[in-house]
């Protein structure tokens, strides 16, 4: 059978790394099947050991829309990014990113080692001109009508200066437009208090830079927000450095998981509460779906000349399916070209500002 | 009636700021009454406008164990700490801290402006010798048998270097012993990954410093932990800088509140789910109590020559009662003397280490 991945004007081609996740290639293929079931226009290039992948793809009924690309090496969760850059050219992860670089696929999806994926992506896809640090954006369950907020950076880098935070604001606003379909996203800068005199010096400078560019970049800047605002409807995009964002993301997930487990215990407590659980099953499933981290699985690398979706390492078929659906939506919307255009326009504006903008930079 | 606050060998005297909380003096007095109901050995010095407080105390039946100290000024939530230090000597907050400094009360409790309370406490109570930055420790609902973990710093300062983090580990371990009754607490250092090569430089140095002192300070060091571990049973004490800790704390609270609200919606969804809610009422109340931020209300300032409990600004009677009970427990255990002794011992150990320990400091 002829692989159809690279061809066809009405098909979106996604490049998928079969290896490196905790649950192995079988979970990845099951996630692909789940996502493909509802998106007839998607095709795949799947990277990994061909002899292992072929039977999985055949059994899943995906052989008419999947090209398997043999890559024997696997990036382990414990591999250091620097090692992978030196010796990882035969890995499924490298091959997966390479297909996007070569223009064969629109978006890459991997559930492997985040540091290694970021390193390979940065080296092979390069940064968008004008972006110093790429960022990882995640979706966060919220009180907003769409059900989600965007937060970045959640772990691409462990630091960010004022210019990086400005770029995160621009990239996050673009992502909210493409990923959440918002016309005019509200962007907030994460701090320890909403008063303007609080927080680190670089946050105050970033506050002024973002406030100045917001009207011309078609988003609203709501100023400083706090941790409690991350799931709120005060804001659509939360901007922060990758250390703080990563801690917040994992804290939120840990809290949600704890409450879900305690809720389960509460319902098993007595025969009356077990009966209640049966009666409330539909409502509880709806809640579960709303706060299940698997449903919002997929961090997106922003700031590179090519889109990469990082799925959770422990993702199962449901989680991988969510990541693939997100990749499909971003590919369809021509998201990455929009980000590049927005960053270029903002940099042009800042250059026009001239010395005015340097006041902020020097503070 | 003669005030009994300052006297009696079997009474613990707490100094309580009646003003500055969002719900006013009435909520504070109601919280005192709630806490006193279960702790016959507690007495109060209450600070605020005497004419407003007298009728509240009489109505609450607390006049036999409360001395009212007239202080007309109120610190507002919007006041800058520097303003309060210059012009706040007539405020209830100042008077509240002053009673601890003078040795009239063991522990101060306030639900006012955190920055101002920290500033007054630092100036009037001074730092324990050997402590550079005081910290705020909070209790966090967790999977541990006791139901809670300790995290610090959650907002006393916005930065912390390796030596500060080491002191937080020592102070947090002491707090877990006194506040949670643990013999040998497990301490973890918050980072973006548990691998040793990840994270900021000062965290790697702090990791080595804490690892070296743990065996001699009678706690176990579990190394780096992530945001998801904060509510886990892997660890009892989570050490981090005040910026990250504050964001994590508020993120956790925001997530818990969102889920609670969504759960409420789920149960109102249909007549079947409304019936289920009635049947599960007891179990749900138990869950509610477990994850209710009001039940763990009370951040403790550590590192000062005197203990200060900061209640949430929006605390109601339940929240204030929780803060007062915590203050009582700490006062009873002679907590602050233990912290001072531990820090002094650790500093002596580090001095003995000599140049060996400086290797860490220079990295």
């Amino acid at each position: 059978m002829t692989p159809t991945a690279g061809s066809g004007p009405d098909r979106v081609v996604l490049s998928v790394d079969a290896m490196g996740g905790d649950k192995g290639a079988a979970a990845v293929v099951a996630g692909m099947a789940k996502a493909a079931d509802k998106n007839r226009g998607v095709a795949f290039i799947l990277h990994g050991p061909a002899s292992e992948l072929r039977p999985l793809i055949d059994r899943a009924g995906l052989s008419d829309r999947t090209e398997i690309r043999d890559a024997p090496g696997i990036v382990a969760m414990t591999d250091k990014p620097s090692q992978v850059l030196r010796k990882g050219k035969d890995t499924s992860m490298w091959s997966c990113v390479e297909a996007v670089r070569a223009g064969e696929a629109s978006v890459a999806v991997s559930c492997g080692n985040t540091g290694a994926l970021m390193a390979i992506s940065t080296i092979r896809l390069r940064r968008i001109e004008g972006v110093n640090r790429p960022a990882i954006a995640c979706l966060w369950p919220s009180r907003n009508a769409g059900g989600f907020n965007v937060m970045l950076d959640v772990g691409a880098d462990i630091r960010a200066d004022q210019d990086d935070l400005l770029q995160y604001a621009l990239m996050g606003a673009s992502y909210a437009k493409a990923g959440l379909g918002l016309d005019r996203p509200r962007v907030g800068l994460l701090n320890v208090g909403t008063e303007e005199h609080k927080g680190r010096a670089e946050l105050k400078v970033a506050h002024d830079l973002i406030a100045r560019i917001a009207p011309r970049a078609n988003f609203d800047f709501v100023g400083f927000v706090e941790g409690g605002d991350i799931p709120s409807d005060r804001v659509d995009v939360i901007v922060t450095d990758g250390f703080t964002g990563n801690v917040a993301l994992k804290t939120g997930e840990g809290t949600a998981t704890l409450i879900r487990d305690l809720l389960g215990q509460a319902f098993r407590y007595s025969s009356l509460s077990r009966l209640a659980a049966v009666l409330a099953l539909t409502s509880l499933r709806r809640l579960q779906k709303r706060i299940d981290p698997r449903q919002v699985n997929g961090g997106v690398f922003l700031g590179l000349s090519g889109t990469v979706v990082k799925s959770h390492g422990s993702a199962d078929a449901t989680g991988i399916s969510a990541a693939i659906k997100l990749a499909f939506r971003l590919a369809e919307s021509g998201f990455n070209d929009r980000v590049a255009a927005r960053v270029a326009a903002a940099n042009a504006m800042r250059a026009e500002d001239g010395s005015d903008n340097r006041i902020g930079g020097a503070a």
Side-chain angles (χ1 to χ4, degrees), chain A:
Chain A
M1 178 168 301
T2 314
T4 56
S7 62
D10 50 352
R11 276 207 158 173
V12 166
V13 181
L14 304 179
S15 178
V16 178
D17 178 6
M19 314 308 289
D22 301 346
K23 299 202 164 54
V28 173
V29 172
M32 286 165 58
K34 226 172 144 98
D37 191 41
K38 290 178 187 160
N39 295 282
R40 301 307 304 169
V42 68
F44 303 103
I45 307 178
L46 185 66
H47 308 262
S51 58
E52 181 181 347
L53 302 183
R54 173 58 58 203
L56 290 170
I57 288 297
D58 287 347
R59 261 204 307 278
L62 289 171
S63 48
D64 62 331
R65 55 165 89 190
T66 305
E67 176 190 333
I68 293 173
R69 203 159 283 180
D70 189 44
I74 297 173
V75 176
M77 284 297 175
T78 49
D79 286 346
K80 289 196 184 186
S82 55
Q83 292 173 332
V84 176
L85 284 186
R86 276 199 310 276
K87 300 190 286 186
K89 292 190 182 56
D90 72 333
T91 60
S92 58
M93 185 184 279
W94 192 289
S95 178
C96 175
V97 172
E98 199 59 31
V100 171
R101 193 198 61 79
E104 297 169 291
S106 308
V107 178
V109 179
S110 173
C111 45
N113 183 325
T114 307
L117 183 60
M118 180 49 90
I120 295 174
S121 301
T122 306
I123 293 291
R124 298 306 294 161
L125 301 178
R126 304 269 172 77
R127 295 183 184 83
I128 291 176
E129 182 158 345
V131 169
N132 297 326
R133 292 183 206 267
I136 305 177
C138 74
L139 294 175
W140 192 293
S142 83
R143 293 176 201 270
N144 275 321
F148 299 104
N149 289 344
V150 169
M151 184 162 77
L152 75 167
D153 174 25
V154 296
D157 211 317
I158 53 171
R159 57 183 67 77
D161 67 15
Q162 52 255 33
D163 292 302
D164 299 323
L165 294 168
L166 172 63
Q167 287 163 3
Y168 294 174
L170 293 165
M171 297 193 297
S174 291
Y175 180 42
K177 290 178 190 198
L180 301 179
L182 299 176
D183 281 341
R184 200 176 171 88
R186 294 160 302 162
V187 174
L189 184 60
L190 191 61
N191 199 348
V192 293
T194 52
E195 300 88 352
E196 300 208 354
H197 64 275
K198 281 190 175 179
R200 296 171 174 158
E202 74 269 23
L203 288 178
K204 293 173 203 166
V205 180
H207 182 285
D208 296 345
L209 290 175
I210 299 172
R212 202 175 302 162
I213 223 147
R216 294 179 288 179
N218 292 314
F219 66 83
D220 290 326
F221 182 52
V222 302
F224 289 134
V225 296
E226 298 188 79
D229 295 317
I230 299 176
S232 80
D233 55 7
R234 276 196 63 207
V235 66
D236 302 300
V237 178
I238 297 99
V239 170
T240 188
D241 69 274
F243 187 92
T244 309
N246 188 271
V247 168
L249 173 64
K250 289 178 177 165
T251 302
E253 286 177 353
T255 307
T257 308
L258 173 68
I259 296 175
R260 203 180 54 204
D261 293 352
L262 292 175
L263 190 61
Q265 281 173 26
F267 277 114
R268 283 190 301 274
Y269 187 73
S270 67
S271 43
L272 215 56
S273 62
R274 277 193 293 273
L275 174 60
V278 173
L279 294 177
L281 206 58
T282 317
S283 302
L284 289 175
R285 285 222 176 110
R286 197 178 306 109
L287 170 66
Q288 163 89 11
K289 194 166 172 178
R290 184 84 188 273
I291 62 171
D292 185 350
R294 296 180 308 168
Q295 301 287 344
V296 290
N297 181 40
V300 178
F301 292 1
L302 301 176
L304 301 173
S305 303
T307 304
V308 177
V309 174
K310 164 67 177 80
S311 161
H312 212 291
S314 61
D316 59 7
T318 303
I320 287 159
S321 161
I324 289 174
K325 285 179 201 161
L326 175 63
F328 181 78
R329 209 156 63 238
L330 294 174
E332 264 196 328
S333 73
F335 164 66
N336 218 68
D337 294 340
R338 289 165 193 256
V339 172
R342 183 161 301 275
V343 169
N347 281 336
M349 284 183 222
R350 290 196 68 195
E352 275 171 33
D353 274 3
S355 62
D356 182 31
N357 126 49
R358 283 297 101 194
I359 295 167

